[in-house]
Amino acid sequence: MISYNEETKIFKLDTQTTSYLMGIADGKYLGHIYYGRKLTAQDLSYLLRTQEKPFVPSKLLREKLSFLDSFPMEFPFGGTGDFRESCIEIRDSNGQSGMELLYAGHRIYEGKEKLRGLPGVWGEGCQTLEIRLEDACAGVRVLLSYSVFADSDAVIRSVKAENIGTHTIYLERILSACLEMDDEDFEMLSLSGAWARERHIQRQPLLTGSFVTESVRGESSHQDHPFLAALSKGCTQTCGEVYAMHFVYSGNFLAKAQRTQFDTLRMVLGIHPERFCWKLEAGAVFQAPEAVLVYSDAGLGKMSRSLHSLYRNHLIRGNEKEKVPPVLINNWEATYFDFHTEKLIAIAKESAALGIEMLVLDDGWFGHRENDDSSLGDWTVNEQKLPGGLKYLADEVNKLGMKFGIWLEPEMVSPDSKLYEKHPDWAFHLKGRTPSRARDQLVLDLSRQEVVDYLYDSISKVLHSANIEYVKWDMNRALSDIGSTAFPPDQQGELSHRYMLAVYEMQERLITEFPDLLLENCSSGGGRFDPGMLYYSPQIWCSDDTDAIERLSIQEGTQLLYPMSTIGAHVSDCPNHAVGRNTPFQTRGITALSGTFGYELDITKISEENGSYNLSKSKA
Ligand code: GLA
């Protein structure tokens, strides 16, 4: 699947139907040669253009800058002559930031190493190429990793940067992937939206200049998606070419396409450099997240199938993966905060009679939370609403033959909570400023291990207290005021990424301690629906907009990249709570059936006519 030709100095990665070629030019520059339909032996090194005057690097020192500014660099660096988007930028001990990364070696091995602390594609039948680039002057080594699986059409990339010098340096940018192409006239496809309008498909021509889709919200976001594709003009579901990049990460990202002065295309994807700065002491290593690349010569449909099968077979984990998820009923749109044990049991009884398999108790079961302005952080049961606690309720629900699950929002704290009273410094805040609230809540400083441990212990205690078989892990605001008292000034730029690492750590601990738990991620609906989250939870709540018609575009955009089994979708009430639209019960059912399928309405109030349409059966 992966080969290296000593003579031509060309690396070739083959997937089921594609080839990806890189070459070493002038013995030192790693260039991108080709990505597209599978090739047999063919020397395409001319695509590096190193033989074309006047851009011959070694012979024409006087034109090195022009060379660097046009060479299709596999992992571009800036400051020495390439003025296009770069993938790496460091500030060295002299305060300088220019770089020149040169080929220093490679290895090809069976399998794929796990990325420390990060989600990643896994599994058997895989080969990896690791290319070593070095900048002796800056004291930096970069390891580019490319994996291909026998049963997949994707190329999986990641990057590690290591300080091989003797001084501390600062990593100010490290993107995970770059694609260089010769062709012009691409259309860019991105997914964009807003709260309750996530992942709408957007296409536009790329003229000379740049197209950017990005998030600096501390989550992959409702607004943009960590994905970018270049499409040949007029590309459809079944024909045309697609070059897609998808980021296995849930925090800030930058995806950018540049059409250059020479009508070439450079596409990059990685952690957003804005407010990012990672201190690398001598010998330290930074691991950047993974990017998935997919090429299709048969339109968007083939791209979707390649991503779906990769995610189904090599990203999603856990015991629930192969099972049809239980048809659930969630009490959020049925009761909001206004519930008590008897009401929930009434919903469960009606649901059990209709063949629904699990009751999910949403927000409001803890602290003194009667609305959304208190108690986040105090993960103890409100016994006034739920006498006997979660245990009594779960047991009653279980007696009806149903499973039981709960909602949690571990990453947040309400200023009106015992936790905040005790540890106000546990919330992110900038020195001397009052942090901005959203939904009356603040974000916990998860860069502090004691906060992570406190949260994890509270959650674990709750889950041990009753037979809880499902958790909806919510996150209801973007990150702002990101400052921590636990880190020195020169490490404040690490916090957003450290936050993500902590979320991943907590979810990893959770699914390890509770291997049979069904975890569903959520972020005010679909604000953190990304491949990173899929590594921890096989399904993600798709949107707070449960209107069947609005959901068509939201789910169409989501299904472009994700298998249907991952898309949280429920039948809800009419008029719809988000948009006020009335739709037939059957329309709502059919839309929800193209996702995980469940209900989110007061089933005790459903009319005879609607109730007789038994959707739990039609699913089976
Ligand atoms: C978010 C979720 C909803 C619900 C509420 C509870 O908005 O997306 O489904 O859980 O929080 O507060």
Side-chain angles (χ1 to χ4, degrees):
M1 291 187 284
I2 298 180
S3 60
Y4 176 62
N5 184 324
E6 270 298 340
E7 210 177 303
T8 56
K9 308 237 172 305
I10 289 182
F11 297 99
K12 185 162 182 278
L13 284 78
D14 287 323
T15 70
Q16 286 173 327
T17 70
T18 74
S19 295
Y20 187 104
L21 270 66
M22 292 166 273
I24 304 163
D26 200 34
K28 51 188 179 185
Y29 297 108
L30 183 68
H32 181 78
I33 295 180
Y34 170 87
Y35 187 27
R37 258 182 220 162
K38 198 164 188 164
L39 298 176
T40 46
Q42 229 171 309
D43 184 0
L44 294 178
S45 52
Y46 68 91
L47 288 173
L48 292 175
R49 284 197 205 83
T50 48
Q51 305 310 320
E52 289 169 34
K53 284 179 181 172
F55 303 140
V56 182
S58 60
K59 291 175 199 144
L60 280 177
L61 263 183
R62 56 173 253 129
E63 292 304 346
K64 182 173 163 188
L65 181 143
S66 307
F67 164 74
L68 287 176
D69 199 24
S70 59
F71 184 72
M73 203 65 80
E74 180 64 23
F75 191 69
F77 42 82
T80 48
D82 185 347
F83 298 103
R84 296 161 292 172
E85 200 67 18
S86 66
C87 276
I88 184 164
E89 200 170 306
I90 58 133
R91 191 156 36 83
D92 65 19
S93 52
N94 298 313
Q96 298 181 160
S97 71
M99 288 186 86
E100 202 171 3
L101 281 169
L102 306 180
Y103 173 78
H106 74 269
R107 67 178 175 127
I108 296 171
Y109 63 91
E110 295 300 315
K112 174 176 180 291
E113 282 171 12
K114 198 177 160 341
L115 272 61
R116 218 170 140 228
L118 284 166
V121 168
W122 52 270
E124 304 289 309
C126 162
Q127 263 190 346
T128 299
L129 162 67
E130 189 181 79
I131 303 181
R132 208 165 70 241
L133 306 177
E134 283 179 10
D135 181 331
C137 181
V140 176
R141 174 180 298 143
V142 165
L143 295 169
L144 304 179
S145 158
Y146 300 81
S147 301
V148 288
F149 287 82
D151 63 354
S152 159
D153 233 349
V155 174
I156 320 299
R157 285 183 68 167
S158 69
V159 180
K160 250 193 275 195
E162 187 182 349
N163 181 349
I164 52 168
T166 49
H167 295 97
T168 296
I169 58 172
Y170 293 88
L171 197 54
E172 295 189 320
R173 160 190 287 252
I174 180 149
L175 306 188
S176 296
C178 174
L179 267 182
E180 293 266 2
M181 272 169 281
D182 241 3
D183 319 325
E184 52 196 276
D185 280 348
F186 279 113
E187 273 183 78
M188 301 317 297
L189 186 150
S190 60
L191 299 177
S192 80
W195 172 75
R197 184 166 47 78
E198 294 89 344
R199 290 173 295 285
H200 279 226
I201 297 173
Q202 184 173 269
R203 285 170 74 152
Q204 54 198 282
L206 181 68
L207 305 178
T208 307
S210 299
F211 173 82
V212 171
T213 176
E214 63 192 334
S215 168
V216 289
R217 294 167 186 271
E219 57 177 349
S220 45
S221 90
H222 301 84
Q223 289 75 9
D224 289 37
H225 194 72
F227 167 84
L228 186 58
L231 317 182
S232 58
K233 239 184 187 166
C235 175
T236 66
Q237 273 297 316
T238 50
C239 63
E241 286 188 297
V242 184
Y243 294 89
M245 302 173 106
H246 206 185
F247 202 25
V248 189
Y249 189 61
S250 316
N252 293 343
F253 73 89
L254 171 70
K256 185 165 178 175
Q258 271 184 321
R259 179 167 160 182
T260 72
Q261 55 183 333
F262 303 117
D263 279 333
T264 57
L265 179 72
R266 175 175 282 180
M267 277 164 79
V268 295
L269 175 67
I271 292 182
H272 206 300
E274 197 167 303
R275 276 184 224 102
F276 171 85
C277 180
W278 197 275
K279 182 178 182 179
L280 269 189
E281 285 172 350
V285 176
F286 180 85
Q287 172 71 63
E290 242 168 46
V292 172
L293 310 185
V294 163
Y295 165 78
S296 158
D297 59 356
L300 288 164
K302 184 175 172 193
M303 173 201 75
S304 300
R305 289 189 294 279
S306 298
L307 289 172
H308 290 193
S309 92
L310 181 77
Y311 295 160
R312 262 199 311 267
N313 300 322
H314 295 293
L315 183 65
I316 302 171
R317 302 175 295 167
N319 296 346
E320 299 304 311
K321 178 177 149 84
E322 301 299 336
K323 299 183 195 154
V324 176
V327 175
L328 66 80
I329 182 153
N330 178 306
N331 75 309
W332 179 240
E333 290 192 24
T335 66
Y336 295 102
F337 296 96
D338 185 17
F339 59 81
H340 43 77
T341 301
E342 278 153 41
K343 174 71 194 168
L344 296 169
I345 291 175
I347 291 179
K349 275 193 179 140
E350 197 69 38
S351 305
L354 287 166
I356 295 172
E357 295 154 315
M358 178 160 73
L359 176 76
V360 174
L361 173 55
D362 210 279
D363 194 355
W365 57 264
F366 51 93
H368 58 278
R369 192 156 163 100
E370 297 298 342
N371 50 42
D372 58 11
D373 61 14
S374 86
S375 303
L376 292 171
D378 298 344
W379 298 109
T380 46
V381 181
N382 180 338
E383 291 262 352
Q384 270 166 358
K385 282 181 173 177
L386 303 173
L390 293 174
K391 166 109 182 80
Y392 174 74
L393 179 58
D395 288 349
E396 290 304 302
V397 171
N398 289 164
K399 277 186 211 156
L400 295 167
M402 289 173 77
K403 295 180 174 197
F404 177 69
I406 56 163
W407 176 99
L408 287 167
E409 191 177 359
E411 300 159 58
M412 301 292 156
V413 64
S414 306
D416 177 8
S417 66
K418 287 188 189 143
L419 182 67
Y420 190 73
E421 214 170 277
K422 203 165 161 206
H423 297 290
D425 60 321
W426 278 15
F428 270 143
H429 59 282
L430 298 168
K431 207 172 171 190
R433 293 184 192 281
T434 306
S436 304
R437 295 186 190 184
R439 213 191 189 204
D440 225 341
Q441 62 197 54
L442 298 172
V443 184
L444 283 168
D445 177 0
L446 302 186
S447 69
R448 302 169 70 137
Q449 193 62 41
E450 74 263 45
V451 180
V452 172
D453 291 340
Y454 163 83
L455 287 174
Y456 187 76
D457 289 346
S458 329
I459 298 171
S460 168
K461 222 175 268 163
V462 171
L463 296 186
H464 280 297
S465 73
N467 188 21
I468 297 165
E469 297 183 76
Y470 161 106
V471 162
K472 175 177 173 188
W473 180 302
D474 209 343
M475 188 264 191
N476 273 316
R477 60 157 290 177
L479 272 55
S480 70
D481 304 271
I482 305 170
S484 172
T485 47
F487 283 87
D490 66 347
Q491 286 189 277
Q492 296 288 314
E494 299 179 7
L495 298 177
S496 304
H497 182 60
R498 285 188 180 275
Y499 179 90
M500 268 333 306
L501 292 178
V503 171
Y504 291 148
E505 181 199 318
M506 283 198 285
Q507 296 205 353
E508 185 69 37
R509 279 163 81 173
L510 190 68
I511 58 177
T512 307
E513 188 179 351
F514 302 94
D516 293 321
L517 184 78
L518 174 58
L519 185 62
E520 175 158 353
N521 266 291
C522 170
S523 170
S524 300
R528 211 162 56 180
F529 200 125
D530 55 64
M533 282 293 147
L534 266 195
Y535 183 68
Y536 303 92
S537 67
Q539 58 193 60
I540 304 174
W541 183 229
C542 185
S543 176
D544 273 351
D545 195 333
T546 53
D547 173 69
I549 305 303
E550 286 295 314
R551 272 290 184 121
L552 295 178
S553 327
I554 299 170
Q555 291 180 195
E556 184 189 11
T558 310
Q559 283 173 15
L560 192 68
L561 312 182
Y562 300 94
M564 273 163 56
S565 65
T566 64
I567 298 173
H570 299 165
V571 175
S572 65
D573 207 358
C574 271
N576 180 269
H577 295 193
V579 296
R581 184 190 273 124
N582 283 308
T583 44
F585 199 72
Q586 189 171 5
T587 307
R588 285 175 268 157
I590 289 166
T591 305
L593 276 170
S594 28
T596 54
F597 191 75
Y599 293 91
E600 186 148 343
L601 39 67
D602 189 345
I603 205 154
T604 61
K605 292 188 188 146
I606 230 166
S607 72
E608 266 305 299
E609 186 199 343
N610 284 335
S612 66
Y613 190 82
N614 190 339
L615 279 162
S616 59
K617 290 227 178 83
S618 64
K619 188 181 187 209

